[in-house]
Amino acid sequence: MPDPIRAYTNTLKQSLATGAATEHTHRPALAALLASLAPGARVINEPKRIACGAPDLAVLRDRLLVGHVEAKDVGSALDVVERSAQLTRYREALDNLILTDYLEFRWYVEGDLRGAARLGRWDGRALHAERDGETEVAALLADFLAHAPEPLATPRELAERMARLAHLIRGIISAAFERGQASETLRGWRTAFAQVLIADLDQPENVGQFADMFAQTLAYGLFSARVMLSPSPESGEGWGGGFDRRAAQDLIPKTNPFLRKFFYEITGPDLDDEPY
């Protein structure tokens, strides 16, 4: 198990020794490390999402999300980062998260710190290894990569998990507008919501209200479509993996024309470029 860690550490040393490395320099090595520790998993580097606040790396297996990684530059004060608005939002919304400065790794499950491990310390000239650091980091990352969300057993648990995801979407949309990075698609939906639902929703002071309504509409629409899809244990469909936003389009009740129109629009390719 420590061998991939050792290869990662050597790559890190080489990059740091140049004196020109940045936070982004080390990200491919981190992605390669995670992939080597989880055969069959895909590690996605999503730089387009950074500006709107999404985590730096996403780990998927069989198209299902395993977890996220937020990486800061080597030597960053993770105690400070941990208290930032960005990490607070991530911890509230993401079930399985790693925060790292490439040397120290902190693992959060449903917002709570589950464990931490450190490979070493960089003094600006040399990397000093921690005793048993390779083994401890390898074990922590293995647990992160093997983590599976607890099954939902009650309506309250479902509501809380949906709320965390909706809260994350709300934050990303608000940030996009505040930074002038909202897409034409998102701006168009804000105008549509203002025309159909609340007249002044497109005013600057109501960005948060629009983001909240959009996130809730998306979450409720997916939920209402999902309950229309009857389980079919014999075929393996229904409650299994055959549901996505495109399937939802046909399942939205005709009694809600606005929601049907909303899902007709979000099933197109434009949504693939949105940070949420």
Side-chain angles (χ1 to χ4, degrees), residues 88-104:
T88 298
R89 184 170 68 249
Y90 290 170
R91 290 173 64 182
E92 289 175 349
L94 304 176
D95 290 332
N96 193 28
L97 172 69
I98 288 284
L99 170 65
T100 182
D101 69 347
Y102 296 101
L103 292 174
E104 181 183 358

Side-chain angles (χ1 to χ4, degrees), residues 154-173:
T154 68
R156 180 183 181 88
E157 291 174 356
L158 172 62
E160 289 175 347
R161 188 168 297 177
M162 289 173 63
R164 286 198 299 273
L165 294 172
H167 186 73
L168 177 64
I169 293 171
R170 180 196 187 280
I172 293 172
I173 292 173

Side-chain angles (χ1 to χ4, degrees), residues 40-52:
R42 294 177 58 212
V43 182
I44 310 298
N45 188 348
E46 298 174 313
K48 290 183 179 179
R49 301 190 175 195
I50 297 172
C52 288

Side-chain angles (χ1 to χ4, degrees), residues 8 12 26 70-78 99-105 118 120:
Y8 165 77
L12 211 60
H26 314 299
E70 177 65 19
K72 301 301 181 183
D73 202 3
V74 172
S76 296
L78 295 190
L99 170 65
T100 182
D101 69 347
Y102 296 101
L103 292 174
E104 181 183 358
F105 295 80
R118 177 186 289 275

Side-chain angles (χ1 to χ4, degrees), residues 152-271:
L152 299 171
T154 68
R156 180 183 181 88
E157 291 174 356
L158 172 62
E160 289 175 347
R161 188 168 297 177
M162 289 173 63
R164 286 198 299 273
L165 294 172
H167 186 73
L168 177 64
I169 293 171
R170 180 196 187 280
I172 293 172
I173 292 173
S174 293
F177 276 103
E178 290 166 3
R179 297 173 183 174
Q181 297 169 337
S183 67
E184 182 178 345
T185 299
L186 203 52
R187 293 196 302 270
W189 269 110
R190 188 179 176 188
T191 300
F193 273 50
Q195 292 173 345
V196 176
L197 300 175
I198 299 178
D200 61 351
L201 203 60
D202 55 354
Q203 297 303 305
E205 64 272 17
N206 292 327
V207 166
Q209 186 179 6
F210 164 72
D212 191 55
M213 292 184 67
F214 187 98
Q216 290 193 48
T217 300
L218 184 60
Y220 172 75
L222 287 169
F223 173 74
S224 64
R226 195 67 175 89
V227 298
M228 295 293 291
L229 185 61
S230 300
S232 177
E234 296 79 9
S235 64
E237 300 176 351
W239 297 119
F243 180 79
D244 57 20
R245 70 176 193 266
R246 292 174 177 83
Q249 176 189 344
D250 296 326
L251 296 165
I252 297 294
K254 294 182 179 180
T255 53
N256 194 331
F258 178 79
L259 198 58
R260 284 179 64 85
K261 173 66 173 177
F262 178 80
F263 268 80
Y264 174 78
E265 295 291 340
I266 70 168
T267 55
D270 290 344
L271 198 75

